Amino acid sequence: MHEQMGDYFRSEWEKTFGPDIHTPEMRIDEPFMKALHLLDGEWETCSVENFHEGEHGGVHFSAANVRLDHVYQRGTPHEGFETCSSMVFRGLVLRCAARVSAASPVLAAARTADGPRGILTGHAVFDRSFCVTANSKQDAACRLTPRFIDFLTKFDRDVEGQILSFCWEGKIFSLVLETDFGIATIASSVDLSDLDAARRSYIRSLKELGSVLDRLIEGPALTDVVEREEYGRTENDR
């Protein structure tokens, strides 16, 4: 299919998001996924599909579908072993250029029963859902403002999927969604012999990606930051 419609796919991507570029700082690969500490110790292999990089609403971004698998041996010494794998994560990874730089990396990952306590924000629902790590509580508070937490709660409710991780590092905000949504692809339910249906499905996937990006751009994730010296001051003090 990609051999047959590759030129069409590239043309539609460029019409929607501009030239498909690849820059080192916006990569999505196995080392990046390990740096997120997503499901630490639960997976051994990482597959990245449909990686693309472009621009939307004036924001430089990259996106890819990612799958993480646990690989293990099954069998007995007498009968022999076979290598098996089971999927532990499938979803969408987004990285966007922010308008302000984080003082230090701030990482949030879905909280697990045996995970560390992390930095608490004082927002009960958020703290139950995510474990936050940063160089200091103050650095985390500069990014995890009440406005951002309210935005994230609504974003998680509105999009197709569940947020498993997000982070700021430098001027890049990254987000991991557990979802079946595929970007720049044709839905598995489409009859590939129907080229018109395949084209419509591909365009629909681009529009859905654009819709997710619109939500991020409209929210505080790429713009808001509380300066360190303002942390802890009340609105009346400002």
Side-chain angles (χ1 to χ4, degrees), residues 26-223:
M26 300 295 276
R27 75 190 191 285
I28 298 173
D29 53 16
E30 184 171 330
F32 172 71
M33 297 304 295
K34 287 183 176 179
L36 289 177
H37 298 286
L38 180 68
L39 303 173
D40 270 347
E42 297 184 29
W43 59 276
E44 289 76 31
T45 62
C46 172
S47 302
V48 177
E49 296 181 342
N50 304 326
F51 175 85
H52 289 284
E53 188 173 343
E55 185 175 299
H56 183 73
V59 173
H60 180 198
F61 78 93
S62 64
N65 289 118
V66 175
R67 172 173 168 153
L68 304 178
D69 287 287
H70 171 49
V71 179
Y72 59 97
Q73 297 286 316
R74 183 173 63 184
T76 65
H78 176 69
E79 297 178 350
F81 293 92
E82 62 174 332
T83 300
C84 304
S85 66
S86 60
M87 183 178 68
V88 298
F89 168 80
R90 179 173 62 188
L92 171 66
V93 178
L94 281 172
R95 308 193 71 192
C96 297
R99 295 173 188 169
V100 289
S101 181
S104 68
V106 177
L107 170 65
R111 188 173 291 283
T112 58
D114 56 351
R117 182 169 181 265
I119 295 173
L120 301 181
T121 66
H123 189 288
V125 175
F126 180 89
D127 289 339
R128 284 198 301 269
S129 302
F130 295 100
C131 174
V132 176
T133 57
N135 286 354
S136 70
K137 183 176 181 179
Q138 194 175 55
D139 285 349
C142 288
R143 303 310 309 226
L144 298 172
T145 62
R147 182 169 179 259
F148 171 77
I149 291 175
D150 289 345
F151 158 77
L152 193 78
T153 302
K154 186 176 186 303
F155 182 91
D156 198 27
R157 185 174 63 243
D158 292 346
V159 298
E160 179 185 337
Q162 178 186 0
I163 298 173
L164 286 194
S165 179
F166 62 90
C167 76
W168 289 275
E169 185 169 8
K171 295 189 72 172
I172 298 177
F173 176 76
S174 303
L175 180 76
V176 178
L177 280 173
E178 187 171 42
T179 178
D180 291 332
F181 165 60
I183 67 159
T185 190
I186 299 169
S188 59
S189 58
V190 173
D191 180 358
L192 297 182
S193 65
D194 186 341
L195 297 184
D196 286 338
R199 293 187 184 98
R200 289 194 299 269
S201 179
Y202 183 84
I203 291 173
R204 189 180 306 116
S205 77
L206 298 185
K207 289 181 177 179
E208 290 176 356
L209 174 59
S211 178
V212 173
L213 288 167
D214 284 338
R215 288 187 173 94
L216 280 179
I217 292 169
E218 292 166 1
L222 307 184
T223 57

